[in-house]
């Protein structure tokens, strides 16, 4: 069998290595430049590849094509392949053929990475034989070569789901659906929702679909009457029929044979959005057989991915939090909503057409100082000038930290949650978050 792989990033190279290991004839093609680390992997495995072009004749000789999730269906090579009825699949679909492991698949517009990492941590801490893969940045196909695990926790984007057909999750999770990437779906939220709901495809009675019952888009798009698996709706709003919900600080799971009550009081995750993420992860852990006490212990030791409401340190009873990943208004809303103390808020960068009105009530209630960190801060100043008592601006992350330290009193939180892209002053949001952490460590924590 001949296999062509389009895109030589993490997923494409992983699929190529798996194909080679299974004795398939494989060719890799990337329209861009391939990173050296991936070229080395392909060369070591003696896998032929090209970069900077797609050689149509060679690609279209394939019996099947695995495409990178970043390549849209409208790309000429994909259109030509479909016209010739050559199947086009995702790396995840391909990987699923070569393992009997059970898949725990997590998707949603927001919260995927936190929930995936938390789920993996809960299971691994309990001694479950589990691997981590998918949109989180690790190729499932490459991990399947050794096929070492009984379970895989897989973060899935809508783009990955679009080219999955026979693949089936044992546990599928849909956290939420809000408008995103609509250019790939004809600007139709219903098509985007249908893509997300593919996480529940092919399920039977022994499989579980965990979904957010408070999300109107999910409830309207999901046909529970014709669903073949077991539904596990979760809710913070007391939705009728919810099987996972909060009572005080406890998550209660009321799925038959998997009942549990888990105290989350010692979890470091803050905010309503993380309550949803926690409900989903706790529900998964219970369905896999983890004891309540084991979940509680693991919640206490969980550290989220960098730059997502990440505590940097505490000095003189002032807490410093790095939320550089918050590059839009919705993400900042979650941060402001989740923090109960007075806030010195560092925001700004490259505005993406933001409407800050959704933040006005929270800013009026909680923000005592706004430090604008960017080259053009006019929109932030206009939006919050009559709401926040003190507004300052700077292009220096070090000055922003020094100013915040000088204005903070015990009990305050200094929060970097920009609501904007980082490219005016930094390489990316990771660079911005790293610079903030370094400034706090040097100026405040004296490390």
């Amino acid at each position: 069998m001949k296999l062509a792989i389009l895109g030589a990033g993490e997923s494409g190279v992983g699929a190529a290595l798996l194909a080679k290991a299974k004795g398939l004839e494989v060719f890799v093609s990337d329209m861009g430049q391939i990173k050296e680390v991936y070229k080395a992997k392909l060369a070591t495995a003696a896998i032929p590849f090209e970069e900077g072009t797609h050689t149509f004749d060679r690609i279209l000789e394939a019996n099947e094509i695995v495409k990178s999730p970043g390549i849209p269906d409208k790309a000429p090579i994909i259109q030509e392949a479909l016209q010739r009825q050559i199947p086009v699949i995702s790396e995840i679909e391909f990987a699923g053929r070569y393992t009997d492991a059970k898949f725990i698949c997590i998707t949603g517009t927001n919260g995927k990475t936190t929930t995936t990492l938390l789920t993996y941590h809960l299971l691994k801490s309990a001694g479950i034989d589990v691997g981590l893969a998918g949109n989180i940045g690790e190729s499932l196909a490459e991990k399947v070569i050794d096929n070492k695990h009984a379970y895989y926790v897989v973060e899935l984007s809508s783009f990955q789901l679009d080219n999955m057909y026979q693949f089936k999750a044992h546990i599928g999770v849909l956290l939420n659906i809000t408008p995103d990437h609509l250019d790939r779906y004809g600007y139709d939220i219903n098509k985007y929702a249908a893509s997300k709901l593919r996480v529940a495809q092919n399920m039977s009675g022994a499989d579980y679909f965990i979904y957010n019952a408070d999300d109107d888009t999910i409830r309207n798009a999901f046909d529970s009457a014709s669903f073949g698996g077991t539904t596990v709706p979760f809710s913070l709003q007391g939705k009728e029929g919810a099987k996972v919900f909060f009572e005080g600080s406890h998550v209660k799971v009321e799925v038959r044979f998997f009942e549990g009550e888990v105290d989350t009081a010692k979890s470091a995750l803050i905010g309503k959005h993380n309550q949803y993420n926690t409900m989903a992860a706790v529900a998964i852990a219970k369905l896999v057989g983890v004891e309540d006490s084991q979940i509680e212990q693991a919640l206490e030791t969980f550290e989220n991915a960098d730059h997502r409401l990440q505590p940097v340190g505490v000095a003189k009873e002032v807490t410093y939090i790095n939320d550089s990943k918050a590059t839009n208004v919705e993400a900042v809303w979650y941060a402001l909503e989740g923090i109960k103390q007075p806030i010195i808020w560092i925001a700004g960068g490259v505005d993406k057409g933001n409407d800050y009105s959704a933040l006005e009530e929270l800013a009026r209630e909680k923000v005592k100082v706004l430090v604008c960190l960017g080259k053009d801060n006019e929109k932030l100043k206009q939006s919050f000038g009559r709401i926040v008592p003190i507004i300052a601006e700077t292009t220096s992350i070090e000055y922003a930290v020094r100013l915040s330290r000088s204005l903070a009193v015990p009990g305050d939180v200094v929060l970097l949650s920009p609501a904007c892209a980082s490219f005016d002053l930094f390489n990316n949001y990771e660079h911005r978050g790293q610079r903030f952490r370094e400034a706090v460590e040097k100026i405040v924590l004296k490390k």
Side-chain angles (χ1 to χ4, degrees):
M1 176 177 169
K2 291 183 177 181
L3 187 74
I5 295 176
L6 302 182
E10 179 69 19
S11 67
V13 171
L17 295 172
L18 176 60
K20 180 75 173 185
K22 298 303 177 181
L24 305 184
E25 184 180 337
V26 59
F27 173 64
V28 178
S29 177
D30 195 313
M31 277 295 288
Q33 297 301 303
I34 303 174
K35 291 183 179 179
E36 291 301 323
V37 63
Y38 294 131
K39 283 185 186 179
K41 282 189 172 187
L42 294 171
T44 299
I47 296 171
F49 65 89
E50 65 179 359
E51 60 182 337
T53 188
H54 284 324
T55 303
F56 275 45
D57 289 346
R58 187 166 185 184
I59 293 167
L60 297 171
E61 288 177 349
N63 303 106
E64 193 169 47
I65 292 173
V66 176
K67 84 170 181 70
S68 163
I71 300 173
D73 284 341
K74 65 183 179 182
I77 186 63
I78 301 299
Q79 288 296 306
E80 185 66 27
L82 294 175
Q83 187 173 337
R84 299 191 188 196
Q85 298 185 318
I86 301 172
V88 179
I89 63 171
S90 74
E91 171 236 348
I92 305 294
E93 173 82 2
F94 182 62
R97 298 171 180 174
Y98 295 99
T99 178
D100 292 326
K102 291 184 176 180
F103 295 110
I104 298 164
C105 296
I106 297 166
T107 195
T109 306
N110 297 300
K112 294 186 295 296
T113 298
T114 296
T115 305
T116 299
L117 290 173
L118 178 57
T119 299
Y120 176 70
H121 179 70
L122 297 184
L123 301 190
K124 190 172 179 62
S125 297
I128 303 295
D129 180 13
V130 61
L132 178 69
N135 196 54
I136 197 127
E138 299 191 37
S139 166
L140 178 62
E142 188 168 356
K143 298 204 168 190
V144 163
I145 295 171
D146 294 330
N147 200 19
K148 295 189 297 187
H149 301 294
Y151 291 90
Y152 287 96
V153 180
V154 185
E155 179 185 331
L156 292 176
S157 70
S158 57
F159 299 164
Q160 289 169 312
L161 286 160
D162 285 338
N163 292 101
M164 290 164 53
Y165 305 102
Q166 302 304 315
F167 182 94
K168 184 190 79 164
H170 171 53
I171 299 173
V173 178
L174 181 49
L175 296 166
N176 46 61
I177 298 175
T178 58
D180 198 17
H181 303 300
L182 292 188
D183 55 319
R184 285 274 290 257
Y185 298 97
Y187 298 95
D188 185 341
I189 187 68
N190 295 315
K191 291 180 180 178
Y192 177 57
S195 174
K196 287 295 189 187
L197 279 162
R198 292 171 74 93
V199 75
Q201 69 184 1
N202 304 320
M203 284 186 170
S204 60
D207 304 313
Y208 298 89
F209 178 42
I210 301 169
Y211 69 94
N212 185 346
D214 296 340
D215 190 299
D216 291 338
T217 304
I218 294 175
R219 287 190 293 106
N220 292 334
F222 177 50
D223 182 7
S224 58
S226 62
F227 177 62
T230 300
T231 57
V232 184
F234 59 91
S235 173
L236 279 179
Q237 299 175 8
K239 284 286 191 298
E240 185 177 353
K243 296 180 182 178
V244 187
F245 50 90
F246 264 92
E247 283 189 358
S249 66
H250 291 76
V251 172
K252 297 195 72 173
V253 179
E254 295 185 347
V255 180
R256 191 178 179 190
F257 305 124
F258 300 101
E259 293 84 357
E261 183 171 341
V262 174
D263 189 356
T264 67
K266 294 183 178 180
S267 170
L269 294 173
I270 61 175
K272 185 179 293 183
H273 65 305
N274 276 322
Q275 287 184 296
Y276 283 110
N277 297 339
T278 300
M279 282 192 290
V282 168
I284 294 167
K286 292 304 300 178
L287 292 173
V288 174
V290 182
E291 298 292 333
D292 295 356
S293 60
Q294 293 175 303
I295 298 173
E296 289 173 357
Q297 291 171 8
L299 284 172
E300 189 175 353
T301 60
F302 175 66
E303 295 182 4
N304 201 358
D306 288 348
H307 317 297
R308 293 168 173 83
L309 285 171
Q310 180 184 33
V312 176
V314 179
K316 297 183 178 180
E317 299 179 51
V318 176
T319 301
Y320 293 78
I321 295 177
N322 168 21
D323 192 34
S324 184
K325 180 68 165 61
T327 59
N328 58 49
V329 168
E330 183 179 28
V332 175
W333 188 95
Y334 284 129
L336 297 180
E337 185 274 334
I339 295 171
K340 305 309 177 187
Q341 303 98 310
I343 297 169
I344 296 174
W345 176 29
I346 302 173
V350 179
D351 185 275
K352 298 187 290 186
N354 290 345
D355 177 0
Y356 293 108
S357 60
L359 301 178
E360 289 177 0
E361 184 177 344
L362 285 169
R364 184 177 287 110
E365 175 189 347
K366 297 185 177 184
V367 177
K368 56 187 284 187
V369 178
L370 170 59
V371 181
C372 301
L373 177 64
K375 290 184 177 179
D376 182 0
N377 303 303
E378 288 308 309
K379 193 170 179 181
L380 274 170
K381 292 191 295 182
Q382 290 174 9
S383 298
F384 297 101
R386 297 182 180 180
I387 295 173
V388 177
I390 301 173
I391 294 182
E393 59 180 325
T394 181
T395 57
S396 166
I397 191 78
E398 290 79 13
Y399 178 81
V401 169
R402 286 194 182 92
L403 180 62
S404 299
R405 180 189 61 177
S406 69
L407 295 173
V409 299
D412 285 353
V413 170
V414 175
L415 170 70
L416 171 67
S417 193
C420 298
S422 57
F423 304 121
D424 58 340
L425 299 174
F426 307 96
N427 298 335
N428 47 46
Y429 78 82
E430 293 98 335
H431 182 220
R432 176 171 57 193
Q434 178 64 28
R435 288 285 306 280
F436 175 72
R437 181 164 58 235
E438 290 170 352
V440 171
E441 289 176 348
K442 179 180 177 181
I443 297 165
V444 179
L445 305 179
K446 308 295 185 183
K447 289 187 176 180

